[in-house]
Amino acid sequence: MESEQRRKRKRAVGRHTHISSRSLFLCFCFLIFLLFFSSHHHFFIFTPSTFRPSLTASTLSLLYSSASNSILDPLHPTAPSYTLQHRIIFPDHHLLILTTPQQHQLHQLECVYYTLHPNASSPAPPLQLQVQPLLSTDRYDESRSIVRCPFPQTNYTAAGSQIVELRRRGEVGRRNLGFLMNQTAQSWDRVAYEAILDGDTVVVFVKGLNLRPHKISDPTRIRCHFGLKSFHQNNAFLFNTRAVSVAQEVVRCMLPQSIRNNPDKVRGIRVTVSYLGGNVRHPVRVLVPSVATVSAPGSGRVQKRKSRKYELCACTMVWNQASALREWVMYHAWLGVERWFIYDNNSDDDIEKVVQDLDLQGFNVSRKSWPWIKTQEAGFSHCALRAREECKWVGFFDVDEFFYFPSEFHQNLREGVPGENYLKSVVANFSSSKSIAEIRTACHSFGPSGLHSPPKQGVTLGYTCRLQSPERHKSIVRPDLLDISLLNVVHHFQLREGFRYHNMPEGTAIVNHYKYQVWETFKAKFFRRVATYVVDWQEDQNKGSKDRAPGLGTEAIEPPNWRLQFCEVWDTGLKDFLLSYFADPATGLMPWERSSL
């Protein structure tokens, strides 16, 4: 009896000894890791004042991508690998974010869909596999690329779940079932998707906060969360700070003090936000899933400018408008625009090649892949931060909108072309103003002008009939004088307190908005609105809004006599001017036509 008790005590002591040894070993390894990392990477020292863990360990994974996997060519083990970081489910496709050393090899990949059936009683096999080609690939930033995959042929089922993966074409075999079960995808309905550094703050772009449109919200209900991941999958640090401003999809977060002390290490840090849910008696803090890592405003672009800032820049967001870009850029470059920020919202019409050609011709155009659908206001806020480093003034307008100066353009000059660099000189006159931070110009909306097909010489020569009264306005702003919320409603921004806007007299300046083009072109716009807070034409609401085409219902069916609608005043002023000064005398071609040949 006594010997039996002694043996039990020895086993118990042995277990404790084993656990203690293992714990000591792990602690020793962790200390070695800290010493190594601090000596090579200036490891952050997080003080108790900045380290406020308020979330349980089970929520840590929301700050990071799901367990990433590396895609390596089995025939060439030394070839560069691709690490799949995030999966996002959009309404019509999957978006995958990869870390990639090179972009040109992505065409070798294909989309693989695994359908898991964890229920043993299910008649389907535990794991089903489908393969489909990629929809498209794109470079996202300096170190990452994006891949778009179509939805699989079979939909999600209640009996199982689907996971999209990537593999090289020709690769065979299935993933480990346990590995797949740990994979997660974020829904586009609720996710932090972008983050950009701005001084001692980070501006985070978040889908799903459901805040009031066009209004600044209460930042005290929002908290910001920063995470770092060590070399080991489960080791993470978590910090939270306050939000200093919140509006629509844009949250401005204070940086933790320890990160502020190491600004060169902030890029790549995961960030998200949380908000108070539940009810007044039982509030619950809800953490938003995140695929956002902090980037610098000028990342991904080799700077071409001199030490001075450009006087005038332009920013726009496009979807499948490559054919319209040359005319828009070349015309406004002649008016004095010096730098172009093109936010590409999932185009598939070779717009990247058009941007490269324009840039090579000296127009200083850059394209940013912006895969986030219906986020025009957020994209403009993002662009305002990027442009502030390079530009005194930035115009936010679309590629179907053209500034026109009737009195200036039709002066009788003996030499030169009237109006050259005139838009640039207009804004330069306000650069020294102590109160003006925005210049607004009213818009004239043009209709199809009797045309059946898109005008070959461009919209400025093809569409010549418009509505009589102006609609809306477009703005050119001082990006350094915007409100910290970066609130905008596409047409204008919220300005910093103490600053105001200036309205250009209609007789002096107008924007020709070629809004209602031939049905073939307009139908694409019907299906694809990029503005977040502009109602889709397919939705049965706000039928009296100026953002809707009058008389157009909720279906993409060409109304009777579409080509004759929106025609109250024949206006050939800009057309006549361009034909007089810019058409090639021998061929009649416009500059944007010649450049595309």
Side-chain angles (χ1 to χ4, degrees):
M1 183 69 178
E2 182 179 353
S3 60
E4 180 64 24
Q5 291 177 348
R6 189 180 297 114
R7 283 195 296 272
K8 289 182 178 179
R9 284 197 299 271
K10 286 182 177 180
R11 284 197 297 270
V13 171
R15 282 197 299 269
H16 292 306
T17 304
H18 174 72
I19 294 172
S20 298
S21 300
R22 186 171 181 272
S23 300
L24 288 171
F25 176 74
L26 290 175
C27 290
F28 177 75
C29 292
F30 185 66
L31 287 173
I32 293 297
F33 163 73
L34 289 180
L35 290 172
F36 171 81
F37 199 67
S38 62
S39 63
H40 287 77
H41 301 279
H42 306 289
F43 185 67
F44 299 126
I45 303 300
F46 298 105
T47 63
S49 62
T50 60
F51 178 61
R52 302 185 182 93
S54 60
L55 306 170
T56 63
S58 61
T59 64
L60 288 176
S61 61
L62 293 177
L63 287 175
Y64 309 105
S65 63
S66 58
S68 60
N69 59 294
S70 182
I71 303 166
L72 192 66
D73 190 339
L75 301 178
H76 303 280
T78 59
S81 61
Y82 304 83
T83 302
L84 177 53
Q85 285 190 325
H86 304 289
R87 302 166 177 82
I88 306 171
I89 304 174
F90 282 90
D92 57 356
H93 68 279
H94 293 278
L95 179 74
L96 309 181
I97 301 179
L98 315 175
T99 56
T100 51
Q102 301 176 26
Q103 194 265 342
H104 68 275
Q105 296 183 357
L106 292 179
H107 68 275
Q108 302 174 3
L109 303 177
E110 59 187 4
C111 304
V112 184
Y113 307 88
Y114 295 94
T115 303
L116 306 178
H117 295 273
N119 188 353
S121 62
S122 173
L127 183 64
Q128 292 179 324
L129 182 147
Q130 295 183 47
V131 178
Q132 289 195 39
L134 309 179
L135 285 176
S136 63
T137 66
D138 203 352
R139 195 68 184 173
Y140 183 47
D141 57 28
E142 293 172 294
S143 60
R144 295 183 294 174
S145 295
I146 55 178
V147 170
R148 300 177 183 91
C149 289
F151 281 160
Q153 295 176 355
T154 58
N155 295 325
Y156 290 85
T157 63
S161 60
Q162 287 181 333
I163 296 167
V164 60
E165 291 281 335
L166 293 171
R167 72 179 187 188
R168 296 186 186 276
R169 287 201 300 267
E171 185 179 340
V172 295
R174 294 183 174 185
R175 292 287 185 184
N176 178 272
L177 183 60
F179 173 81
L180 290 174
M181 292 292 288
N182 290 326
Q183 305 305 289
T184 59
Q186 310 297 352
S187 170
W188 176 236
D189 293 337
R190 192 170 68 92
V191 64
Y193 57 94
E194 285 273 355
I196 185 169
L197 182 65
D198 186 23
D200 289 341
T201 66
V202 170
V203 179
V204 187
F205 300 85
V206 187
K207 200 76 174 176
L209 292 180
N210 298 322
L211 303 175
R212 294 178 62 190
H214 313 157
K215 300 290 183 181
I216 295 177
S217 301
D218 180 10
T220 62
R221 299 178 61 84
I222 305 292
R223 297 292 292 175
C224 307
H225 305 274
F226 298 81
L228 289 172
K229 194 192 308 190
S230 74
F231 296 140
H232 299 286
Q233 183 69 27
N234 297 323
N235 291 338
F237 295 96
L238 189 65
F239 317 92
N240 67 77
T241 64
R242 63 187 178 92
V244 294
S245 72
V246 179
Q248 300 182 158
E249 292 186 3
V250 180
V251 180
R252 186 181 290 272
C253 300
M254 290 300 301
L255 276 172
Q257 183 63 50
S258 300
I259 299 179
R260 273 185 270 170
N261 294 338
N262 298 268
D264 57 323
K265 299 297 182 181
V266 69
R267 290 176 59 183
I269 292 177
R270 185 81 59 226
V271 61
T272 192
V273 303
S274 64
Y275 59 91
L276 283 178
N279 53 54
V280 177
R281 297 185 62 182
H282 300 286
V284 177
R285 184 154 292 279
V286 181
L287 190 71
V288 177
S290 175
V291 300
T293 57
V294 179
S295 64
S299 60
R301 171 78 176 179
V302 177
Q303 300 299 321
K304 295 184 177 182
R305 66 182 177 90
K306 300 177 182 179
S307 57
R308 69 171 182 88
K309 284 187 175 183
Y310 298 116
E311 192 71 44
L312 177 61
C313 304
C315 179
T316 195
M317 186 174 291
V318 299
W319 174 72
N320 283 357
Q321 300 199 38
S323 60
L325 200 59
R326 286 188 178 90
E327 180 184 11
W328 186 72
V329 167
M330 290 182 174
Y331 173 79
H332 286 99
W334 172 76
L335 282 179
V337 176
E338 301 170 282
R339 171 81 166 92
W340 308 85
F341 300 88
I342 310 297
Y343 277 56
D344 183 2
N345 196 213
N346 298 320
S347 299
D348 56 8
D349 61 349
D350 293 327
I351 191 171
E352 187 172 10
K353 184 179 185 303
V354 175
V355 169
Q356 289 174 348
D357 289 345
L358 286 168
D359 197 46
L360 289 174
Q361 293 177 55
F363 289 101
N364 200 5
V365 184
S366 67
R367 167 184 168 270
K368 177 173 176 56
S369 176
W370 186 262
W372 320 114
I373 61 175
K374 277 195 74 67
T375 57
Q376 186 174 23
E377 291 88 347
F380 280 2
S381 297
H382 190 279
C383 188
L385 288 177
R386 290 180 64 207
R388 190 184 60 192
E389 305 298 316
E390 302 182 46
C391 313
K392 293 181 182 179
W393 293 87
V394 185
F396 291 87
F397 54 109
D398 299 330
V399 297
D400 59 357
E401 296 167 339
F402 290 72
F403 280 82
Y404 173 48
F405 303 95
S407 57
E408 178 67 23
F409 281 12
H410 295 285
Q411 294 186 45
N412 294 320
L413 299 181
R414 294 182 178 179
E415 296 181 0
V417 179
E420 185 173 6
N421 288 319
Y422 189 69
L423 182 58
K424 178 181 174 181
S425 65
V426 167
V427 300
N429 288 335
F430 292 96
S431 292
S432 59
S433 172
K434 303 298 183 181
S435 60
I436 303 298
E438 178 183 14
I439 301 169
R440 295 183 177 182
T441 306
C443 301
H444 276 157
S445 295
F446 282 71
S449 306
L451 300 181
H452 291 279
S453 58
K456 294 182 179 180
Q457 288 193 293
V459 297
T460 52
L461 275 65
Y463 299 113
T464 54
C465 199
R466 60 171 174 82
L467 298 176
Q468 183 171 5
S469 300
E471 293 182 328
R472 305 280 193 190
H473 63 265
K474 292 296 171 177
S475 295
I476 303 175
V477 302
R478 287 273 302 271
D480 58 332
L481 297 179
L482 301 180
D483 185 79
I484 64 168
S485 67
L486 299 175
L487 175 66
N488 70 87
V489 290
V490 177
H491 309 292
H492 60 267
F493 277 81
Q494 182 90 6
L495 301 178
R496 191 182 297 177
E497 187 175 355
F499 291 89
R500 59 185 180 87
Y501 60 85
H502 170 77
N503 282 322
M504 292 293 292
E506 187 179 336
T508 303
I510 199 76
V511 171
N512 281 6
H513 185 184
Y514 301 102
K515 183 176 182 179
Y516 308 114
Q517 300 185 26
V518 296
W519 182 254
E520 175 187 335
T521 303
F522 186 83
K523 184 170 64 174
K525 188 176 183 179
F526 177 94
F527 278 117
R528 192 63 149 67
R529 308 300 297 276
V530 298
T532 315
Y533 302 100
V534 172
V535 66
D536 283 333
W537 281 312
Q538 299 170 75
E539 296 180 9
D540 189 15
Q541 55 180 301
N542 294 347
K543 291 187 176 181
S545 170
K546 290 184 178 180
D547 292 306
R548 286 187 174 277
L552 185 66
T554 58
E555 297 181 7
I557 300 174
E558 182 175 358
N561 297 320
W562 172 264
R563 65 187 183 88
L564 302 177
Q565 293 192 26
F566 317 106
C567 183
E568 296 175 350
V569 178
W570 288 96
D571 182 348
T572 62
L574 182 55
K575 174 183 178 178
D576 295 340
F577 171 75
L578 292 175
L579 287 175
S580 298
Y581 289 99
F582 290 94
D584 186 285
T587 63
L589 295 176
M590 304 304 293
W592 41 88
E593 290 183 279
R594 296 195 299 270
S595 68
S596 61
L597 296 178

